[in-house]
């Protein structure tokens, strides 16, 4: 008898019911033979609450290093860095005797208005899945870290307003290809300890009660072996949730949670074996991930802070750098403008909010480097009203400055867990200030502090723009590392920046209905939409500049059984060392279905000294060429032509090569009277049946001019009866063709 079976067999019905509900905000229940275990928030730093507990970050937590938000770390395009972030988070959690770290969040950035975008990685599921897998592997590691994760929020949690009840209504292809595929990748690659199901419904069924999602897809199709817990307060009907595959309700409702389960079992509404299944998974989780130490142990916060600085520096994105204004020159006068330099916004709100160990502000750091740096606030961050006096003081200061750095961004009141944004425009006072400053000094550098994409009406009036997102507690040091060139920027945008909100494909529908979030855009999210529509963007997905330049060369493809190896060279053609992220996109030119022009399916970040060249290889598996067929509920790859695109961004394609794929084992669909002539005429195997049935001569005659050819390709076989062909002749051809 296993230990889990032994514990279960010794439990009363009440204890089993206790186990499937959290004891309180952060602990599992303690029962005979099993101690309680603590879980804690921590996607960007540990948020362990020792005393008063809440789900929205309102009460203080223990001191911990605040790392950059996922919106910034995703821009690193660096799997190794994300794994190291995970190790740091796991170390902090273990030191504080936390068994499960709640994170990472991997929902897609469908709309720039979504209030929680700062906590998510990307608009692209492949990039999200790759980086999240590395993060999870880092946290869970081997037993030296021994901290599990709760991958969240499963699934399609793409808005915050009415998040407890809103239904995400999505077609099956979009659901699988976009909103589930990152979760699938992490489950299969990194084996997360737990999955956290989200508040929302999918196509009318609450996710906490969604058997198709929690059991059929997650467990039966993907092979997930861990525990499924609810987001905090996501359970509406605990009995229905247990039947669907939920194991742990968080937080528990005390005696009410236990009583409802006992009553359901006693009335025959819940099979006790279903309850035992869930309770066993709770026991399994606690047995595997319960920290061994009985007391809090120390870890090196200073070392973690240094890593937070490195991580931010490797992720910050240089969006624009006209006239090579950056890096800054230490022998020229410098003016710093913007209250966000003095009071930076460096982390998100809600469950991502950390009691930071050592926050370094941009203003303090630069004044330590260059004591003569002049500063004016220019605006108040907690207001959008123009302060004429403060603005004028800033304008007067920059008139004579050689270099001007303006800090701008969203106030914390603009974006948070729990509600969605109303705009992606900066406050009016910030936009107005930047335009006034640009009118008196052309050498304006804008440094952004924001959780997600924003509009920039002044983009053509400033020389340089640096995107720091929410850079964590080392924001001050990391920002100036980039600005002074101590670190060569290498971040790439993990989301598209539209010129204006109305350009986004969700603009007409996002939050339009309190009960339903209708995903009318389907597959066309982010760059998939902008590319297909040929829509200009402010800055494209994958974009990011450097203080050096790179050349892409010698693209080669090697096809083998069910995979393609892409090889190429990258050369640093500039004068300083730097890192470049090469991106591989695949353009499916074969499948006759709705599809994006191209999709990201590979990337590699390469470090190069001046003049150095490196050979890079990226392997594309069969799944990279597949699409989800809702008619068969399977991933399908079609034989035919595909283009491999080697790129510096989604809009900067450097080299391309075409490739023929012949992997498909799909049998040819049997012909019927509804089969189209366009498909029949493509098949070499149908030439003989056409001739034998006598249809070949008729088709040759009808195809005598271009108009007839076009008409024929859009006709099914049965329509040939209008041309004098008998039904007998059509049936004869179908019989012969299906035998060929």
């Amino acid at each position: 008898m296993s230990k889990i079976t032994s514990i279960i067999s010794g439990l009363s019905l009440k204890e089993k019911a206790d186990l499937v509900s959290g004891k309180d905000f952060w602990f599992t229940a303690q029962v005979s033979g099993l101690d309680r275990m603590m879980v804690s928030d921590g996607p960007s730093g540990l948020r362990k609450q020792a005393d008063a507990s809440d789900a929205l970050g309102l009460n203080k937590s223990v001191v911990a290093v605040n790392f950059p938000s996922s919106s910034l770390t995703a821009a690193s395009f660096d799997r190794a860095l994300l794994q190291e972030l995970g190790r740091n988070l796991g170390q902090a959690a273990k030191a504080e005797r936390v068994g499960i770290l709640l994170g990472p969040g991997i929902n897609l950035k469908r709309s720039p208005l979504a209030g929680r975008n700062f906590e998510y990685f990307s608009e692209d599921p492949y990039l999200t899945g790759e980086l999240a897998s590395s993060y999870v592997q880092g946290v869970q590691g081997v037993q030296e870290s021994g901290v599990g994760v709760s991958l969240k929020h499963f699934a399609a949690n793409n808005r915050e307003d009415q998040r407890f009840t809103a239904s995400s209504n999505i077609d099956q292809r979009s659901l699988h290809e976009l909103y589930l595929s990152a979760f699938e990748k992490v489950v299969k690659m990194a084996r997360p300890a737990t999955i956290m199901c989200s508040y929302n419904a999918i196509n009318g069924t609450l996710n906490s009660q969604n058997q198709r999602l929690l059991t059929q897809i997650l467990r039966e199709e993907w092979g997930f072996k861990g525990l499924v817990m609810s987001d905090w307060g996501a359970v509406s009907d605990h009995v229905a949730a247990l039947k669907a595959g939920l194991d742990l309700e968080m937080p528990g409702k005390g005696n009410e949670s236990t009583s409802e389960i006992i009553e359901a079992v006693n009335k025959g509404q819940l099979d006790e074996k279903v309850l035992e299944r869930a309770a066993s998974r709770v026991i399994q989780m606690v047995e595997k991930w319960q920290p061994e130490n009985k007391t809090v142990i120390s870890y090196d916060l200073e070392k973690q802070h240094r890593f937070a600085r490195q991580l931010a520096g490797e992720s910050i994105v240089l969006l624009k750098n006209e006239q090579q204004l950056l890096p800054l020159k230490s022998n020229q006068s410098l003016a710093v403008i913007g209250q966000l330099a003095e009071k930076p916004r460096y982390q998100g709100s809600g469950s991502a909010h950390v009691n930071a160990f050592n926050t370094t502000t941009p203003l303090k750091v630069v004044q330590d480097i260059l004591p003569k740096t002049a500063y004016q606030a220019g605006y108040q961050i907690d207001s959008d009203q123009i302060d004429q006096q403060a603005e004028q003081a800033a304008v007067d200061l920059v008139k004579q400055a050689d270099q001007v750095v303006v800090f701008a961004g969203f106030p914390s009141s603009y974006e948070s867990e729990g509600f969605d944004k109303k705009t992606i425009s900066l406050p009016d006072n910030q936009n107005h200030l930047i335009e006034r400053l640009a009118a008196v000094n052309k050498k304006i550098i804008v440094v952004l502090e924001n959780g997600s994409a924003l509009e920039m009406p002044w983009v053509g009036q400033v020389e340089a723009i640096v995107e720091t997102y929410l850079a964590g507690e080392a924001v001050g040091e990391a920002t100036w590392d980039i600005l002074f060139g101590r670190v060569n920027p290498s971040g790439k945008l993990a989301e598209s920046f539209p010129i204006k909100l109305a350009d986004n494909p969700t603009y007409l529908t996002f939050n339009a209905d309190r009960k339903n979030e209708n995903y009318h855009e389907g597959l066309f999210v982010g760059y998939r939409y902008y590319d297909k529509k040929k829509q200009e963007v402010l800055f494209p997905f994958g974009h990011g500049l450097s203080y050096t330049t790179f050349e892409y060369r010698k693209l080669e493809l090697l096809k083998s059984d069910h995979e393609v190896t892409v090889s190429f060279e990258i050369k640093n053609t500039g004068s300083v060392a730097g890192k470049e992220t090469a991106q591989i996109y695949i353009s499916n030119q074969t499948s006759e279905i709705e599809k994006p022009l191209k999709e990201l399916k590979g990337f590699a970040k390469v470090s190069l000294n001046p003049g150095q060249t490196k050979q890079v290889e990226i392997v594309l598996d069969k799944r990279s060429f597949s699409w989800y067929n809702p008619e068969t509920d399977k991933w399908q790859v079609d034989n035919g032509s595909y283009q491999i695109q080697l790129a510096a961004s989604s809009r900067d394609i450097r080299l391309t090569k075409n490739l023929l794929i012949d992997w498909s084992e799909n049998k040819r669909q049997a012909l019927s009277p509804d089969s189209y002539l366009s498909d029949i005429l493509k098949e070499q195997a149908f030439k003989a049946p056409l001739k034998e049935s006598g249809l070949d001569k008729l088709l040759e005659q009808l195809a005598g001019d271009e108009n007839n050819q076009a008409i024929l390709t859009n006709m099914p076989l049965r329509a040939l009866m209008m041309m004098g062909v008998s039904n007998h002749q059509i049936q004869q051809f179908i019989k012969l063709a299906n035998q060929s």
Side-chain angles (χ1 to χ4, degrees), residues 252-373:
K253 302 188 292 289
N255 291 333
E256 184 180 339
S257 288
T258 303
S259 298
E260 66 185 3
I261 300 302
I262 294 173
E263 183 179 356
V265 172
N266 288 335
K267 288 183 176 181
Q269 297 167 345
L270 177 66
D271 189 333
E272 191 167 352
K273 290 184 179 179
V274 173
L275 173 61
E276 288 180 352
R277 179 187 65 190
S280 295
R281 289 173 182 156
V282 176
I283 296 170
Q284 174 185 288
M285 175 185 71
V286 175
E287 283 290 298
K288 182 171 184 179
W289 300 107
Q290 177 73 279
E292 295 176 1
N293 299 309
K294 298 298 181 184
T295 58
V296 174
I297 59 175
S298 62
Y299 63 102
D300 194 338
L301 288 162
E302 289 287 356
K303 184 178 179 181
Q304 288 210 350
H305 177 87
R306 290 193 293 273
F307 175 70
R309 176 180 181 174
Q310 177 195 353
L311 178 58
E314 295 277 355
S315 306
I316 288 172
V317 185
L318 179 60
L319 295 177
K320 182 178 181 179
N321 191 23
E322 299 293 328
Q323 309 302 320
Q324 284 71 55
L325 192 57
L326 290 173
L328 295 170
K329 287 75 178 174
S330 58
N331 61 349
Q332 295 183 1
S333 63
L334 175 64
V336 172
I337 307 296
Q339 195 179 45
L340 281 167
E342 181 183 3
K343 299 178 180 179
R345 180 159 176 259
Y346 58 92
Q347 65 172 320
S349 304
S351 59
H353 188 84
V354 176
N355 186 7
F357 164 64
N358 177 24
T359 304
T360 62
T361 70
L363 183 59
K364 176 66 166 60
V365 170
V366 75
Q367 287 178 336
D368 287 343
I369 299 170
L370 297 176
K372 293 183 179 180
T373 299

Side-chain angles (χ1 to χ4, degrees), residues 154-156 197-202 205-210 213-214:
F154 190 56
C197 85
S198 54
Y199 294 113
N200 58 290
I202 293 179
T205 302
L206 282 174
N207 287 347
S208 61
Q209 300 168 204
N210 194 327
L213 184 69
L214 302 184

Side-chain angles (χ1 to χ4, degrees), residues 650-667:
S650 61
R651 291 285 174 94
D652 186 3
I653 310 300
R654 299 295 181 88
L655 298 169
T656 64
K657 269 192 179 294
N658 292 328
L659 176 74
L660 285 176
I661 293 294
D662 55 2
W663 297 334
S664 178
E665 298 175 358
N666 293 332
K667 293 182 178 179

Side-chain angles (χ1 to χ4, degrees), residues 111-114 117 409-410 414-415 421-427 431 450 452-458 495-504 507 510 530 538:
S111 166
L113 289 177
N117 276 353
F410 291 139
Y414 269 44
E415 50 188 355
K421 292 188 286 190
K422 306 303 179 188
T423 179
I424 62 168
S425 175
L426 291 175
N431 279 331
N450 48 294
S452 58
L454 75 165
E455 295 173 352
M456 302 180 203
W458 33 261
E495 61 182 321
S496 306
F497 276 40
I499 295 174
K500 58 184 184 300
L501 178 61
D503 293 340
N504 184 265
Y507 178 71
F510 185 77
Y530 299 119
L538 190 62

